[in-house]
Amino acid sequence: AQAIINYSKSFQEVIAIGYNGYKVAEEIKTEIGVYYLSRDNMLLPKKIADYSDLSFLSEEHLTSLSAAIRELSLTDEEKERRNIEYEIRIEAILKKLNQRMEDKGESGGLNIKAESRVQLVCGMIMAALGYKDVVAPLEIEELKGQMGKNTNDGIIVLNRIKDFLNSKNLPQEKKDTIGSIFTAILQDVNYYTPRNGESPIKSVYITIKDDIMPMFLSAKHLDFTGRLFNVLTSWIPLRPGDDKNDVVLTPRYVTEMMARLCKVDMNSYVWDYAAGSGGFLVSAMKLMIEDAQRNIKSERELATTIDHIQLFQLLGLELRPEIYILAVLNMILMGDGSSHILNKDSLLYEGKYEQSVEDEGEKPFPANVFLLNPPYSEEGKGFVFVEKALSRMTNGMAAILIQENAGSGQGLPFTKRLLERNTLLASIKMPSKLFIGRAGVQTGIYLFEVGKKHDPATLVKFIDFTYDGFLRQDKKKASLAKNFRDDGTGRERYQELVDIVLDHKRSTHHLDGNVIKDTISLEGNDWTYGQHQSHNAIPTESDFRKSVSEYMAWQISTLLTDISLSDEMDFQ
């Protein structure tokens, strides 16, 4: 059933039926398993019902079968488990592809420059997507290894990309920018010249078409291109002036949590001044659309609202062209929400839409949510971007993932000035290995209510979230499955954190003892958890038991996983 959905051109949902028979004391026993798989349910089989025979397929019972299917949906736990499986599998495929692109031609490799790989893969994904009834997805057989000016594999892929972009409701200047990026790579003679009957372009496209696209189409809400960037740029040396902490992938579960802390809904206008691959905007769009689906019952009104969200309610700025193209692709994959991803310097940005779909270019973007993981090498550890963005907002919420010591004086003078018109609501100390294999700095999340001067009497929530339920290690050659594991409480802990900050009722108490409510000064230099932690309290026996229990659980989980978990998770 998975193969039918993944490799056929027309089927998006399948009923899988297993029928078995056996004898017990000369009596024939039968058993039937009936499952529903769909692209919308991420291809995770869901049992429809128990049946004793095949009469449920008869015409008079098809209505009942359809009703039973409509009732099926994934639980939040199932969705999260599937998300992690997809991310692990995607990373494994990309690592294998990256190694082949790195290897030299004489050893069977493709010898594709590291600087070209991200754009090459992004372009091929666009060619493989197509657009319903307008642009057919590129088929592998169309790449024939010819050398003609208008028939080589590079120009065939490039033309399909241009057709794909022309089918979208995008500003012309964006189409031109994207097209120029792909042209330089796809017209490199070294990439479209056949080797042993197959061009490097075709070799890469086979992996894209057969291995990556099936997962892509089932998990569009994931920050796929962020993981793509992490893997395919792992061998690129830093440029002069770059900092290794400036270009990192913020994990999906963190971007979603931060968007929830900001109460993102279908009426939000969300922007990000250092968009990277667009992970924050992907998570925000997901929450916005889910809120619309919950609250709008008219299919026509819902479609109009989602279209407006994607085209007008998200804006991201990214300076580096090779990362900018990732953000554009990410938002296109989410459903055309790419029209306001701008390739600009945030510090020179004037707060307008700029690129027009419906003559909105000169209008200010009415942001009421700001999400950011800034370059830590910039002024104030990146708080210069926060001041710039919040000065253009009149109300709303802002969540900043930043080097934690920016709140203990390293973010001055920006942190002090921010309190003149914004209220600090929460300070969250994050895990030290949050960015596995990348940044090695201690980070924290600072949550603000925008447009309201901080009152010194306000109680700020300081939360120690250094253990978030996920076990991390940084073995260079290990897979994501080995380096990142859930101890079984990860999802609960993130939900509990949101409930604590937003004053909602909690269903778990993992964070008891890790929350402090205290005031801050107006100096902008006492925002960290450690600065408000009491060091005079005498540990109790229960504190000791809890610490030992958590340590032993971590040790046992690590030991068992190392014994049983292979480098690549079985993707069934």
Side-chain angles (χ1 to χ4, degrees):
Q2 287 180 348
I4 289 171
I5 294 174
N6 281 335
Y7 301 111
S8 70
K9 297 180 181 179
S10 54
F11 295 103
Q12 300 298 310
E13 51 188 349
V14 176
I15 296 174
I17 302 173
Y19 201 109
N20 188 39
Y22 56 94
K23 281 186 178 182
V24 176
E26 299 304 313
E27 182 182 357
I28 296 178
K29 302 285 187 179
T30 60
E31 54 187 4
I32 302 174
V34 184
Y35 293 83
Y36 174 75
L37 290 82
S38 75
R39 184 78 71 192
D40 290 340
N41 263 359
M42 304 170 71
L43 274 67
L44 191 68
K46 294 289 289 185
K47 186 176 181 178
I48 297 177
D50 290 312
Y51 299 104
S52 60
D53 57 32
L54 296 177
S55 61
F56 67 94
L57 293 173
S58 61
E59 187 172 355
E60 64 267 28
H61 294 129
L62 287 182
T63 300
S64 298
L65 177 62
S66 297
I69 290 173
R70 284 197 300 271
E71 295 298 316
L72 296 175
S73 62
L74 298 183
T75 65
D76 289 340
E77 290 78 8
E78 288 172 327
K79 288 178 181 177
E80 184 58 24
R81 177 164 63 85
R82 199 57 164 175
N83 285 339
I84 293 174
E85 289 178 355
Y86 274 124
E87 289 176 335
I88 289 170
R89 182 62 176 161
I90 285 168
E91 186 183 77
I93 292 171
L94 288 173
K95 280 187 173 181
K96 186 175 180 180
L97 175 61
N98 198 33
Q99 184 65 61
R100 191 177 178 201
M101 289 193 286
E102 171 74 11
D103 292 341
K104 305 303 179 185
E106 57 269 17
S107 60
L110 302 176
N111 195 22
I112 294 175
K113 291 182 291 188
E115 294 82 358
S116 302
R117 293 172 197 165
V118 172
Q119 293 94 323
L120 182 62
V121 172
C122 284
M124 289 187 173
I125 290 171
M126 290 183 184
L129 276 171
Y131 193 73
K132 186 177 180 181
D133 300 327
V134 179
V135 182
L138 180 66
E139 300 299 332
I140 295 171
E141 296 75 21
E142 295 179 62
L143 301 177
K144 300 177 181 179
Q146 297 180 9
M147 292 296 293
K149 180 180 179 181
N150 298 310
T151 59
N152 65 72
D153 288 353
I155 200 66
I156 289 173
V157 174
L158 183 61
N159 287 337
R160 196 61 55 96
I161 292 171
K162 290 180 178 179
D163 287 344
F164 173 82
L165 293 172
N166 286 332
S167 70
K168 301 295 180 181
N169 189 18
L170 302 175
Q172 187 58 46
E173 57 265 40
K174 183 176 294 295
K175 296 177 187 177
D176 294 340
T177 300
I178 298 171
S180 64
I181 292 172
F182 292 133
T183 299
I185 296 170
L186 291 168
Q187 283 302 277
D188 188 324
V189 66
N190 296 307
Y191 297 159
Y192 67 70
T193 299
R195 304 173 191 168
N196 299 319
E198 186 174 284
S199 70
I201 285 176
K202 182 174 182 178
S203 298
V204 174
Y205 191 71
I206 289 172
T207 297
I208 300 297
K209 186 77 170 177
D210 289 347
D211 298 333
I212 291 178
M213 291 308 295
M215 285 181 292
F216 224 10
L217 296 172
S218 298
K220 291 182 179 181
H221 62 283
L222 299 181
D223 179 12
F224 176 88
T225 65
R227 197 156 301 284
L228 172 75
F229 179 82
N230 256 22
V231 173
L232 298 190
T233 62
S234 58
W235 292 329
I236 298 178
L238 292 176
R239 304 179 307 186
D242 281 352
D243 185 284
K244 68 177 182 179
N245 299 317
D246 281 356
V247 184
V248 293
L249 168 67
T250 306
R252 169 185 50 81
Y253 53 91
V254 175
T255 60
E256 287 191 12
M257 180 263 286
M258 290 172 65
R260 292 172 65 201
L261 290 176
C262 288
K263 305 177 185 179
V264 167
D265 60 23
M266 65 181 181
N267 297 313
S268 298
Y269 282 76
V270 184
W271 62 2
D272 180 351
Y273 269 37
S277 64
F280 282 112
L281 300 180
V282 168
S283 291
M285 187 193 292
K286 174 176 176 283
L287 295 180
M288 294 160 80
I289 291 174
E290 287 176 351
D291 183 56
Q293 291 170 334
R294 282 192 298 269
N295 291 287
I296 299 176
K297 304 307 177 186
S298 164
E299 290 297 324
R300 181 180 301 171
E301 183 183 350
L302 177 61
T304 300
T305 299
I306 291 176
D307 187 55
H308 192 273
I309 288 171
Q310 293 171 336
L311 288 177
F312 302 110
Q313 292 178 229
L314 297 145
L315 188 145
L317 304 171
E318 177 52 50
L319 180 61
R320 296 177 60 161
E322 71 274 22
I323 306 177
Y324 158 76
I325 196 67
L326 289 175
V328 171
L329 176 61
N330 236 355
M331 303 308 286
I332 286 177
L333 293 172
M334 285 288 291
D336 294 350
S338 63
S339 51
H340 296 105
I341 305 294
L342 308 178
N343 186 199
K344 290 188 68 71
D345 184 339
S346 300
L347 300 180
L348 302 178
Y349 173 61
E350 296 183 354
K352 300 177 181 178
Y353 277 100
E354 294 206 3
Q355 295 180 336
S356 301
V357 176
E358 295 179 1
D359 298 323
E360 79 284 2
E362 290 301 311
K363 297 178 182 177
F365 182 78
N368 55 20
V369 172
F370 181 57
L371 299 169
L372 181 72
N373 178 13
Y376 303 155
S377 63
E378 294 290 344
E379 290 184 83
K381 297 293 185 180
F383 261 115
V384 60
F385 293 103
V386 182
E387 182 181 56
K388 184 82 170 177
L390 268 55
S391 69
R392 300 186 183 281
M393 297 172 62
T394 57
N395 56 46
M397 301 285 287
I400 320 301
L401 175 64
I402 200 166
Q403 197 164 332
E404 190 195 26
N405 62 14
S408 61
Q410 297 296 310
L412 292 170
F414 306 101
T415 48
K416 181 177 181 178
R417 292 203 294 255
L418 281 169
L419 297 177
E420 294 173 5
R421 60 181 309 274
N422 306 284
T423 297
L424 182 65
L425 300 177
S427 166
I428 304 166
K429 186 181 182 72
M430 297 299 287
S432 60
K433 292 184 178 179
L434 190 64
F435 306 109
I436 300 173
R438 291 281 180 163
V441 298
Q442 176 62 56
T443 58
I445 293 173
Y446 296 114
L447 181 70
F448 297 90
E449 181 181 356
V450 179
K452 180 181 177 182
K453 181 179 179 179
H454 190 92
D455 185 336
T458 298
L459 285 176
V460 179
K461 292 173 179 147
F462 296 90
I463 303 173
D464 182 2
F465 202 54
T466 49
Y467 186 71
D468 64 350
F470 291 105
L471 309 173
R472 299 172 178 86
Q473 57 184 8
D474 190 14
K475 293 184 178 180
K476 297 298 182 183
K477 295 185 178 181
S479 67
L480 180 63
K482 286 227 174 200
N483 279 336
F484 179 77
R485 300 188 291 277
D486 188 348
D487 74 353
T489 67
R491 185 175 174 277
E492 291 179 354
R493 288 173 185 265
Y494 275 85
Q495 179 61 54
E496 184 177 339
L497 177 66
V498 172
D499 290 339
I500 289 172
V501 174
L502 299 184
D503 292 322
H504 293 169
K505 182 179 180 180
R506 296 191 272 166
S507 57
T508 59
H509 294 272
H510 299 293
L511 299 181
D512 285 356
N514 294 312
V515 181
I516 300 169
K517 294 182 180 181
D518 199 3
T519 59
I520 61 171
S521 71
L522 297 180
E523 297 303 311
N525 59 1
D526 56 349
W527 294 4
T528 69
Y529 177 85
Q531 291 171 291
H532 297 265
Q533 186 178 14
S534 172
H535 298 286
N536 298 322
I538 300 175
T540 65
E541 182 178 346
S542 63
D543 292 331
F544 175 74
R545 289 179 179 275
K546 180 180 179 183
S547 296
V548 172
S549 174
E550 289 183 350
Y551 176 73
M552 292 303 296
W554 176 82
Q555 286 278 42
I556 292 170
S557 174
T558 301
L559 177 63
L560 292 177
T561 304
D562 285 342
I563 291 172
S564 63
L565 192 61
S566 62
D567 278 353
E568 290 187 25
M569 176 179 284
D570 183 24
F571 193 69
Q572 299 295 329

